[in-house]
Amino acid sequence: MKKCQILLMGLLTLAALSCNKEKVIDNPNYNSETREVTTQFVLSVSTSGEAQQPNTKMTADVVQKANNFRGMTDAVIFTYVTGATSGEAFVNSSSTAADKRFNMGNLYTTGDVTAADNATSSSRRVLHLSIPVGTDAVLFYGKAPSEGQGKVRGATDAEIKDKPEETVFKAVRRMPEEEIAAYDATARLMIFVINRIMQSSLVAATSATYGFPAADLPAINWRELGLQYEINNDMRTGTKVTQVGLEEILGKAYSTFTNIKAGEFRSGSSASVKWMMQEMASVVNGVISATPTDAREANAKRLASEISTRMGRYFENNWEYKEYDAIREVVVGGNILSSDAWNNTSTGFVGAKDLNGYPYEDFNIPEGAAQLAIDNNGVFSYKHPNAALVTPNSSFEPRKYLYPAELFYYDNSPVRVTDKADLAIGDYPNGVGPWDDDTTDNNKWTAGGWSLGKVSSSTRGVAVKSNINYGVAMLKTSVAWSSEAASAGYLLDNRGTLVSATEGDRQIALADAHLVLRGVLVGGVNPRMNWQFLRKYSGAEDSANGIFPNFDGVIYDDDIANTGIPTPSGEENYTLVYDNYNSDFADDAAQSDVYVALEFVNNGDAFWGKDNLIRSGATFYLYAKLENSAANQSSITWPTYYQIPPIYGVDGAGVPSGKVAGQSKQIPRVFIQNFMTTAQFRIGLNSLKNAYLSVPDLRSTQMSLGLSVDLSWQSGYTYNLEF
């Protein structure tokens, strides 16, 4: 692999005139009381990338893959006197507060750096700072301007402190804490409506109905019809009792809606529930319009009318939910619940949002986050915490959906120093290539007498050795048909398994598939990153403060510019993510795999997925695993002039025998800060058989994989997997 393709390599230069106690030098820029020298601070940035740079949304523009430069703001520079006596000086986790902090604000504006000549020029900025004598290391942070922070630009809360160990970068939740009460109230109201309809029942008739006497029309319960249908069809044990036609129709409808199989993810989003209710209403209306042939059918028709009446209380004729106030009037005004019960903040519905937008439009989390469950008494609920998305055998809740990372910069570097007098701007290298070059003939570091060291009384110039780089990682995604599917010209659904082996699987021509990419979900995200942009977690302390378990978050990127399938060449989508290095593993142990789900909308005909019918217009999910396999690890080429964290001697641990302090541990993993992980997802001939209506569990090894993926770090990290 070439040097990190998402590398934004910056150059810090401190040009200093100074004096010291041993040698008296006429230096008007030296303050003997503070022992600081006013220096030139030169920063140089590279926007170099791949030869072909796409122009998309969170995507290339946001992540600076479109030959663009968004600028750099909130820049903070710390200088340290580490006192290192051997090797290169670095700031480490045990370092005390910085000797000096510079809040630089906005260092670059949009377009200040151009791609055409950035390798050799178009990168430098000069500042004047007072640098303490003895400085031998520099710590730098900055970020791209964050207009539109959130789904477009990503969102990260930064708390940059003078002590490294106190610095933290927090992934931002897509649903803030102040929305949780409204989310819970909305979910409870959604469930209340479902249960009121599905628990439809009638007491015994008090007068003749449909030509049959009241004495022949006893109390009737929809659930009982459904359970009897399942007994009769060997779906559960019990005494079989033959059902008449209309009873059986209602019983089958109830069973179909309520029979959630083990391991099934049943979508509970507004769109899914409305569609299911509409489908059920067509069955109910068929019963209502039928002419009963006996009293039992008349009783079933009586129940169907009650079901229809209840549906009409909560839904408009177009199957949109009624407004909040209208539903409240039905429930409270109809004496179904008291006003106090409605307004109870723990169990009631006060503060609920529009039921037509749950959960994506109302709360900014994926449609598939709403997953239905049903207990042994036929009572529906939501899985909240629900079974989804990151660490095996761990519960999940909507708080764990996160925005993509913001574009942050980071550097922890020793310094070069020189005693050369009368330094001019032209004496410093300009551009990425020259800055890294200290070996070829006529390079400016050698010509200027530069060496690694610390600021002393005779020092005239100081330069930060390594480049400023990205503190975050990037996922580049594209979607294509597998070679098998492309050759066949169609996809297969799951009809043969779920409906009829005789009919077999339906063939869906690729030209008629009409699948649209709507989102990318990345599991295994830690909610907090430390001063090196690596995991920060302190167990019980974090749990007590409401921080969910490490690597138990999910980045949801729904700002997808290129939604077509297959993704046009050069128009890939990009998602900024965090480094997934886990310090709990030994240095020589393999790091974790990462689970990813792609969110699609089916704009074609309905098809049968993993457990359900994926209707036209429905959101569904295909699932893949990005493996950290040994075969792929060998393909990584680590940068020479920049040390990627974790770094020996910097993370607080001792330096093993044979290793060098200040050198990267070079531990391969799926997401590495300053690296771009490239994944081409392939929809195979049988991928739709693994389509989920709700978000699958990105923590679980029990999920059915529905995508294949070619995954690479730059030019080498490749996987072949299928959905």
Side-chain angles (χ1 to χ4, degrees):
M1 180 179 78
K2 298 177 182 178
K3 186 175 294 184
C4 312
Q5 295 294 330
I6 67 164
L7 183 64
L8 185 146
M9 295 180 290
L11 316 174
L12 297 179
T13 305
L14 312 175
L17 298 176
S18 63
C19 66
N20 65 16
K21 293 182 286 187
E22 294 83 15
K23 185 187 295 183
V24 178
I25 299 175
D26 184 15
N27 182 359
N29 295 321
Y30 176 66
N31 186 320
S32 60
E33 294 182 0
T34 63
R35 299 199 72 237
E36 295 178 345
V37 289
T38 300
T39 69
Q40 289 181 339
F41 184 98
V42 184
L43 182 146
S44 178
V45 175
S46 166
T47 60
S48 62
E50 298 177 30
Q52 294 185 351
Q53 306 270 4
N55 184 13
T56 59
K57 271 167 75 177
M58 175 151 220
T59 59
D61 283 348
V62 173
V63 302
Q64 297 179 176
K65 286 288 294 174
N67 284 337
N68 64 309
F69 180 62
R70 290 170 51 197
M72 185 185 298
T73 188
D74 295 349
V76 182
I77 301 162
F78 296 98
T79 61
Y80 283 84
V81 179
T82 72
T85 57
S86 62
E88 297 183 354
F90 287 87
V91 180
N92 61 55
S93 59
S94 61
S95 295
T96 57
D99 292 276
K100 195 159 187 182
R101 170 176 179 152
F102 301 92
N103 295 314
M104 304 308 302
N106 187 12
L107 286 181
Y108 285 85
T109 59
T110 302
D112 279 352
V113 177
T114 60
D117 57 357
N118 183 236
T120 57
S121 62
S122 179
S123 63
R124 195 163 50 196
R125 284 289 180 276
V126 179
L127 304 170
H128 290 272
L129 306 176
S130 295
I131 307 297
V133 170
T135 294
D136 55 3
V138 168
L139 190 61
F140 177 89
Y141 297 104
K143 72 171 186 174
S146 57
E147 299 89 349
Q149 184 183 41
K151 65 188 299 181
V152 176
R153 300 289 191 181
T156 305
D157 288 340
E159 298 177 7
I160 299 174
K161 306 293 186 180
D162 291 351
K163 293 183 178 180
E165 278 294 275
E166 295 178 357
T167 290
V168 61
F169 298 90
K170 299 178 181 178
V172 176
R173 297 172 179 172
R174 291 185 65 98
M175 182 166 56
E177 191 65 27
E178 56 268 24
E179 288 281 285
I180 296 299
Y183 177 89
D184 288 341
T186 306
R188 288 194 296 267
L189 186 53
M190 288 280 297
I191 289 298
F192 176 84
V193 170
I194 294 172
N195 283 325
R196 283 294 300 170
I197 294 170
M198 298 311 299
Q199 293 170 7
S200 293
S201 62
L202 286 173
V203 298
T206 58
S207 61
T209 306
Y210 306 128
F212 295 92
D216 294 337
L217 304 174
I220 187 169
N221 181 293
W222 194 9
R223 180 168 183 264
E224 291 177 357
L225 293 182
L227 296 181
Q228 189 62 58
Y229 172 85
E230 293 178 358
I231 292 171
N232 292 348
N233 288 274
D234 300 320
M235 299 167 66
R236 67 173 61 237
T237 59
T239 302
K240 293 185 178 182
V241 177
T242 301
Q243 292 180 308
V244 296
L246 299 187
E247 286 179 336
E248 186 176 31
I249 291 172
L250 289 181
K252 182 179 180 180
Y254 180 92
S255 176
T256 301
F257 190 90
T258 61
N259 186 12
I260 301 177
K261 299 183 291 293
E264 176 185 348
F265 293 91
R266 180 70 62 87
S267 176
S269 69
S270 296
S272 293
V273 173
K274 287 188 292 186
W275 178 76
M276 287 186 284
M277 288 293 176
Q278 187 174 359
E279 291 291 298
M280 206 151 44
S282 66
V283 175
V284 170
N285 289 335
V287 173
I288 292 173
S289 63
T291 301
T293 60
D294 58 26
R296 288 174 62 184
E297 284 203 331
N299 216 22
K301 180 172 180 176
R302 196 167 66 97
L303 175 62
S305 294
E306 173 65 16
I307 297 170
S308 180
T309 297
R310 293 194 183 196
M311 287 181 172
R313 290 171 181 162
Y314 305 105
F315 293 94
E316 303 287 0
N317 291 335
N318 62 356
W319 291 102
E320 291 292 292
Y321 281 96
K322 291 187 175 181
E323 294 182 354
Y324 173 88
D325 289 341
I327 295 176
R328 186 183 188 281
E329 178 59 29
V330 167
V331 175
V332 177
N335 295 318
I336 298 172
L337 289 178
S338 69
S339 179
D340 287 344
W342 180 277
N343 292 325
N344 187 293
T345 56
S346 298
T347 59
F349 317 117
V350 64
K353 291 191 176 183
D354 178 19
L355 297 191
N356 291 294
Y358 178 81
Y360 179 70
E361 293 177 7
D362 287 343
F363 299 104
N364 206 26
I365 62 175
E367 289 278 285
Q371 298 171 21
L372 290 174
I374 188 170
D375 66 17
N376 292 330
N377 295 315
V379 178
F380 279 91
S381 64
Y382 279 115
K383 296 176 182 178
H384 176 50
N386 62 2
L389 296 187
V390 208
T391 305
N393 303 316
S394 175
S395 63
F396 183 86
E397 64 168 63
R399 288 175 175 85
K400 298 182 183 179
Y401 287 104
L402 309 168
Y403 285 110
E406 281 192 75
L407 192 63
F408 272 88
Y409 309 105
Y410 166 75
D411 196 16
N412 180 8
S413 176
V415 298
R416 301 180 193 264
V417 294
T418 182
D419 290 351
K420 181 182 178 181
D422 301 323
L423 286 169
I425 296 300
D427 293 327
Y428 302 108
N430 192 12
V432 176
W435 193 266
D436 284 342
D437 177 19
D438 56 7
T439 58
T440 62
D441 293 341
N442 301 317
N443 77 81
K444 292 199 173 186
W445 297 125
T446 301
W450 295 87
S451 62
L452 291 175
K454 62 182 179 180
V455 175
S456 69
S457 58
S458 60
T459 298
R460 295 300 183 99
V462 181
V464 175
K465 179 191 176 186
S466 64
N467 306 300
I468 296 174
N469 289 269
Y470 289 129
V472 295
M474 184 165 70
L475 173 64
K476 174 183 177 181
T477 61
S478 61
V479 183
W481 310 121
S482 72
S483 57
E484 184 182 19
S487 177
Y490 59 81
L491 306 174
L492 294 174
D493 79 349
N494 208 23
R495 183 177 63 181
T497 298
L498 296 181
V499 181
S500 169
T502 302
E503 293 183 24
D505 299 330
R506 175 171 169 251
Q507 291 185 4
I508 304 169
L510 297 185
D512 298 328
H514 301 303
L515 307 182
V516 173
L517 180 64
R518 171 166 154 169
V520 177
L521 295 98
V522 181
V525 180
N526 203 66
R528 301 195 305 164
M529 308 304 285
N530 70 9
W531 65 284
Q532 298 182 85
F533 287 94
L534 301 177
R535 177 190 69 156
K536 185 179 183 68
Y537 186 71
S538 57
E541 177 185 349
D542 277 2
S543 297
N545 291 320
I547 305 297
F548 51 80
N550 50 288
F551 300 111
D552 201 19
V554 178
I555 282 177
Y556 175 40
D557 180 9
D558 61 334
D559 192 54
I560 304 299
N562 298 309
T563 61
I565 299 171
T567 306
S569 177
E571 297 184 16
E572 294 83 359
N573 293 291
Y574 297 84
T575 303
L576 291 176
V577 298
Y578 301 97
D579 196 313
N580 75 315
Y581 170 72
N582 187 347
S583 58
D584 289 345
F585 297 121
D587 290 345
D588 58 353
Q591 293 283 305
S592 298
D593 301 331
V594 172
Y595 293 91
V596 174
L598 297 190
E599 183 181 58
F600 296 92
V601 175
N602 174 29
N603 284 337
D605 293 337
F607 65 87
W608 290 94
K610 174 70 173 154
D611 299 301
N612 319 91
L613 183 68
I614 311 294
R615 62 181 174 79
S616 179
T619 300
F620 70 95
Y621 300 83
L622 292 175
Y623 172 81
K625 179 169 67 172
L626 310 184
E627 292 182 335
N628 187 38
S629 66
N632 290 301
Q633 293 170 13
S634 62
S635 66
I636 303 173
T637 300
W638 298 89
T640 303
Y641 286 91
Y642 178 73
Q643 303 303 315
I644 300 287
I647 298 172
Y648 289 113
V650 171
D651 58 4
V655 180
S657 175
K659 303 298 182 181
V660 178
Q663 296 298 303
S664 171
K665 293 184 178 182
Q666 297 186 353
I667 297 176
R669 48 202 185 268
V670 174
F671 296 125
I672 303 175
Q673 59 185 272
N674 201 49
F675 278 62
M676 181 177 71
T677 300
T678 301
Q680 184 179 58
F681 298 97
R682 292 190 174 93
I683 299 177
L685 184 67
N686 294 297
S687 288
L688 296 186
K689 296 180 180 181
N690 297 308
Y692 291 85
L693 260 178
S694 59
V695 177
D697 189 345
L698 298 188
R699 307 162 302 184
S700 174
T701 59
Q702 304 303 314
M703 300 299 296
S704 297
L705 301 182
L707 283 173
S708 68
V709 53
D710 284 345
L711 178 64
S712 63
W713 279 320
Q714 308 307 326
S715 59
Y717 213 82
T718 303
Y719 296 113
N720 291 296
L721 306 171
E722 278 223 359
F723 275 132

